[in-house]
């Protein structure tokens, strides 16, 4: 696979998903996908919004719901997971689910999942590829016509990274594909996304 065809494949992937909506209105980033954590890097992102209401980024079936306990000390301990027709699963953590959620099996865009006063922990997983997805590749910022941009494509093998371009020539083997992506909403401006491919 040439660097050029891989690059356009990735751009097409992000462009086809850019119409999806963020789960909070007027999102502000608390921490980004791939941020350092005690276990390595985060596979979710923290978002806070205008009124703390959390909504599905896309319609889907509820496949997991927990309130995380009872009592006022358990505020923001709930988790809701939705499965979507396109093969993605979305997870909304640290929320207080709305009371009737147990009686519903399917949610539409705009329906309320609950509230997240301290910010929602939002993650997306591609079930078909069994990979976490950086939501910055999937979403556009509200009232922002500028999509996230792929700044650099790298291949990594045994701790060494190789810039990928149309002229790249590498030996056969297993490589980790890293995308350096920038978006105005991201606090640091750049996120590094890991995928694994075989050449």
């Amino acid at each position: 696979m040439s660097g050029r065809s891989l690059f356009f494949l990735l751009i097409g992937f992000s462009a086809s998903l850019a119409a999806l909506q963020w789960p909070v209105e007027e999102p502000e980033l608390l921490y980004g996908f791939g941020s350092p954590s005690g276990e390595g890097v985060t596979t979710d992102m923290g978002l806070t919004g205008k009124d703390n209401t959390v909504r599905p980024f896309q319609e889907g079936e509820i496949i997991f719901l927990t309130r995380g306990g009872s009592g006022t000390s358990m505020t923001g301990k709930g988790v809701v997971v939705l499965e979507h027709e396109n093969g993605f699963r979305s997870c909304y953590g640290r929320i207080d689910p709305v009371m009737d959620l147990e009686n519903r099996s399917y949610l539409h865009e705009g329906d309320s999942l609950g509230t997240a006063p301290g910010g929602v922990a939002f993650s997306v997983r591609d079930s078909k590829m069994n990979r976490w997805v950086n939501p910055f590749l999937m979403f556009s910022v509200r009232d922002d016509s500028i999509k996230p941009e792929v700044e650099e494509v790298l291949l990594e093998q045994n701790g060494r990274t190789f810039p990928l371009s149309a002229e790249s020539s590498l030996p056969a083997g297993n490589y980790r594909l890293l995308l350096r992506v920038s978006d105005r909403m991201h606090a640091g401006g750049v996120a590094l996304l890991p995928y694994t491919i075989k050449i």
Side-chain angles (χ1 to χ4, degrees):
M1 178 183 297
S2 74
R4 184 173 304 207
S5 61
L6 179 61
F7 181 76
F8 286 111
L9 171 70
L10 295 168
I11 295 300
F13 170 77
S14 66
S16 67
L17 296 172
L20 303 173
Q21 297 300 307
W22 289 100
V24 293
E25 191 174 343
E26 297 180 16
E28 291 184 25
L29 188 68
L30 299 174
Y31 62 87
F33 178 95
S35 296
S37 73
E39 296 80 37
V41 294
T42 60
T43 56
D44 64 350
M45 61 173 31
L47 295 171
T48 186
K50 179 180 177 183
D51 62 0
N52 300 320
T53 301
V54 180
R55 294 178 175 84
F57 83 89
Q58 185 180 42
E59 61 183 28
E61 180 183 0
I62 299 173
I63 60 172
F64 181 80
L65 165 65
T66 180
R67 294 190 180 278
S70 59
T72 56
S73 65
M74 298 307 292
T75 299
K77 301 292 185 182
V79 176
V80 180
V81 179
L82 301 179
E83 185 156 20
H84 309 280
E85 288 184 4
N86 56 14
F88 290 102
R89 288 185 177 180
S90 58
C91 180
Y92 310 82
R94 297 200 303 265
I95 71 170
D96 298 320
V98 294
M99 292 309 295
D100 71 338
L101 215 52
E102 286 92 349
N103 302 322
R104 305 176 69 186
S105 61
Y106 199 84
L107 292 176
H108 297 276
E109 295 159 4
D111 289 346
S112 176
L113 287 164
T115 59
V120 63
F122 174 61
S123 59
V124 178
R125 188 168 181 85
D126 186 330
S127 300
K128 294 176 183 175
M129 294 185 66
N130 197 28
R131 297 266 187 251
W132 294 104
V133 176
N134 185 336
F136 277 116
L137 286 182
M138 300 176 67
F139 296 87
S140 60
V141 178
R142 182 183 171 98
D143 299 327
D144 181 3
S145 61
I146 302 173
K147 297 176 185 170
E149 295 181 11
V150 176
E151 297 287 336
E152 187 176 20
V153 180
L154 304 166
L155 293 178
E156 184 265 334
Q157 182 183 57
N158 301 326
R160 292 184 59 204
T161 56
F162 308 92
L164 188 62
S165 68
E167 293 80 30
S168 295
S169 177
L170 298 168
N174 289 325
Y175 292 86
R176 209 167 154 228
L177 176 66
L178 300 173
L179 306 178
R180 193 174 299 277
V181 177
S182 66
D183 191 286
R184 290 191 329 206
M185 186 179 158
H186 192 285
V190 174
L192 201 59
L193 317 177
Y195 290 88
T196 301
I197 62 169
K198 187 172 184 177
I199 296 178

